[in-house]
Amino acid sequence: MLCLPARRRRWRATGFLLRTGSPGAASRPRRRAARQGWGTGDRSDVVSASDFLSHCPAVERHLAALLLRKSSSAQLSSELAAALALLGLLRERGDLCVPLEHWGGRPLPLDEAVAGLTVPSAEAMEKVLAKLPFVSDGEKPAPLVLKDGFLYLWRFYAGEQRLAQRLASMVQSGPLPIEDDLLRASLIGENALGGAPGATPDWQSVAVHSALRHRLCVITGGPGTGKTTVVLRVLRALLAQDPELDVALAAPTGKAAARMSESMRGRLASVPEELRSRVPEQVQTLHRLLGYMPRENKFRHRRQRPLPQRLLIVDEVSMVDLELMLALVEALRGDARLILLGDADQLASVGAGAVLRELCLATDPMRGYSAAFAAAHLAATGQQLPVEAERGPLGDSSVRLRLSHRFREDSGIGQLAEAVRAGDADSALDLLRDESCPDLEWITERSSPGKAVQRLGDELLARATADDLENALGGLSELQILCALRRGPYGVEGLGAAVEELLRARGVAASGRFYRGRPILVTHNDRSSRLSNGDIGVAWPEGDDERVAFAAQDGVRMLAAARLPEHEPAWALTIHKSQGSEYDRVWVVLPPQDHPMLCAELLYTAITRARQRVTLHASEAALRQAIGRRTERASTLATALGGG
């Protein structure tokens, strides 16, 4: 085997993925290919191998060079080169592994097809990979893992296995004890919505029951389905049972944390003071909670130094990637409870993996529950739950909330979101054409979004000329332009420029970086200024002093512009950046032609940011392409969890 402990640092980038080295290192494998040859002997194979490697991301190219240097062979086969190219290209789009059977015989997944770059058959790649000393079956560490037809980097294979084992261990101890009267009061008491016995279960009560009886609980659902209500009911019961329970609330980004804080404050206002005093006032980002140390690139809290809290509640889990989730669960103390909240139909995390979606796939909350859990729920509430005889180890720990309390049954936004989620393009387009849906607007004209955005002139002018800071900050949650792309006339940069041109035409001095009323998006976490990636403020200069105001729990925070971490204007945001936020109105701009970014999750996320009204600037073709394309990330986490 190649894994020599003395050389472990050289494989550091992925656990057996090497650091990329100097800027010129990425091109060395291609120069080596030209000098030595990368194949099994014939000229066509040499060209094929080097061509595959030329499309590898830098890390995989560097890995290929080191594998060759450590190998007894002076050549690299086209099968291995193709496998490494697939591994890198799919890793960059969020996949954790390569399903060889799926990709065998297909073109390499490039933005633009390259003639002749067809991936070898799965059988050919497996035959070559299985003979290599640096490929393992997962039993021992090695740079690459080949198991059950999937090819992994060791980093991701080991991460999936460790996460699955840790989550499974959290539910192996069985149901946690809770007093019968307290359980019954929590499920059908004054806090329960629709708690009366009936044929249709109150899914919020099912979620409360699952969270009270299990150390791990996954609660999913669309906007307004009551996830925050469930959290408060769980907190009320657990704090009544254990007044000394230490609680932490967290979210992946600063914006999501601020949104969770706002939601919790609104609900806590109606609960007794003794409960309010024991719920944390501040929701932390996961990185801040775990104590991220950028110089060491690791967390302060980990297995050897666990978090002190015995209850951790995390919102917007769809944004959490595999490695952050693994760091989180490994930092939990042995008796800690973990409640995960999110919407599995939203965009997956920026980093690799789709953890929440895999958890839902493994547990399938729409299927049913164990006979024991269903019997306990029937005894406590009189409500019958569907029963599934064969449930995985996490089966009773997952609940999907079905009923939205934000949108009425006749809400256009709610119906459109459901149609997109279901992949029903015809129904979605019918809703957009239906004039009886006042909360939906569809702009199909061929004019550029820059011209179309002139319809927002009065509202944008009011925000840019607000003479009251409170109103200027409040305007940030009223209207937001959302784009699928960053660059181009249909992207954030093009729309932002169009807005500022519109403002200048209306007499606003919209020039410079910090003119009055300009929204500013923070794009980098910064502990010294207590700002997080995703925080949005308003430029509010005083004389010659350039300052930016941010809404805070205790009022308004003013910061000198010079103290800001990396930032950019925020007249328009990418849909990715809007995750964890809500606005009264959203104006969604899609590119007119097919684009790899267009997918159902992207459109669903954009639509569900709105509370009152959605405007879509998109062609019918773009909408059909988005609704018909699902984002699938290759992962075997659900299988490792006993489902999928």
Side-chain angles (χ1 to χ4, degrees), residues 404-616:
S404 175
H405 301 279
R406 179 191 297 179
F407 305 124
R408 303 188 310 270
E409 288 188 10
D410 60 347
S411 161
I413 297 175
Q415 293 180 78
L416 179 61
E418 179 58 29
V420 172
R421 190 188 73 81
D424 189 347
D426 289 336
S427 295
L429 294 171
D430 287 344
L431 283 165
L432 290 170
R433 295 187 183 103
D434 189 347
E435 296 182 357
S436 66
C437 294
D439 52 351
L440 297 178
E441 180 184 16
W442 184 19
I443 300 175
T444 59
E445 61 194 43
R446 292 180 177 270
S447 63
S448 70
K451 291 183 178 179
V453 84
Q454 292 180 10
R455 303 184 187 197
L456 303 175
D458 291 342
E459 293 172 78
L460 295 171
L461 182 65
R463 282 177 56 178
T465 57
D467 54 6
D468 181 85
L469 182 54
E470 185 177 344
N471 289 335
L473 288 170
L476 295 175
S477 64
E478 293 174 0
L479 170 67
Q480 184 63 58
I481 300 170
L482 302 179
C483 304
L485 308 179
R486 169 165 291 279
R487 295 180 175 83
Y490 292 84
V492 166
E493 294 177 359
L495 267 294
V499 169
E500 295 191 328
E501 183 180 346
L502 171 66
L503 293 176
R504 285 192 290 271
R506 295 286 193 100
V508 178
S511 59
R513 296 171 60 197
F514 298 104
Y515 61 84
R516 193 181 185 94
R518 191 187 206 194
I520 302 294
L521 170 70
V522 174
T523 60
H524 187 76
N525 295 329
D526 182 62
R527 185 178 300 178
S528 64
S529 62
R530 292 184 291 128
L531 291 174
S532 300
N533 182 10
D535 287 345
I536 298 183
V538 174
W540 204 257
E542 289 290 339
D544 293 333
D545 295 334
E546 293 182 331
R547 303 190 304 170
V548 180
F550 292 88
Q553 186 172 336
D554 54 353
V556 176
R557 288 185 62 212
M558 296 294 294
L559 281 177
R563 288 192 58 199
L564 290 181
E566 295 177 26
H567 57 276
E568 60 187 42
W571 286 116
L573 299 177
T574 63
I575 298 169
H576 280 82
K577 282 289 187 184
S578 74
Q579 280 187 276
S581 304
E582 290 181 1
Y583 310 95
D584 292 340
R585 296 175 55 203
V586 296
W587 182 288
V588 184
V589 179
L590 302 183
Q593 67 281 350
D594 188 18
H595 191 281
M597 287 291 294
L598 294 180
C599 63
E601 293 83 359
L602 186 86
L603 185 55
Y604 174 88
T605 301
I607 292 167
T608 54
R609 298 311 90 205
R611 290 184 286 250
Q612 299 174 9
R613 185 175 173 84
V614 172
T615 298
L616 278 172

Side-chain angles (χ1 to χ4, degrees), residues 335-418:
D335 60 348
R337 293 174 181 257
L338 176 63
I339 299 176
L340 303 176
L341 311 170
D343 186 347
D345 296 307
Q346 286 189 30
L347 284 164
S349 57
V350 174
V355 175
L356 182 60
R357 206 169 299 167
E358 288 290 301
L359 287 172
C360 292
L361 185 61
T363 57
D364 194 2
M366 301 296 285
R367 218 169 64 198
Y369 295 87
S370 70
F373 184 78
H377 196 74
L378 178 65
T381 66
Q383 295 179 342
Q384 183 69 57
L385 296 180
V387 174
E388 176 69 28
E390 297 183 5
R391 296 291 281 150
L394 277 65
D396 293 338
S397 298
S398 179
V399 180
R400 178 179 175 84
L401 304 178
R402 279 93 157 159
L403 179 63
S404 175
H405 301 279
R406 179 191 297 179
F407 305 124
R408 303 188 310 270
E409 288 188 10
D410 60 347
S411 161
I413 297 175
Q415 293 180 78
L416 179 61
E418 179 58 29

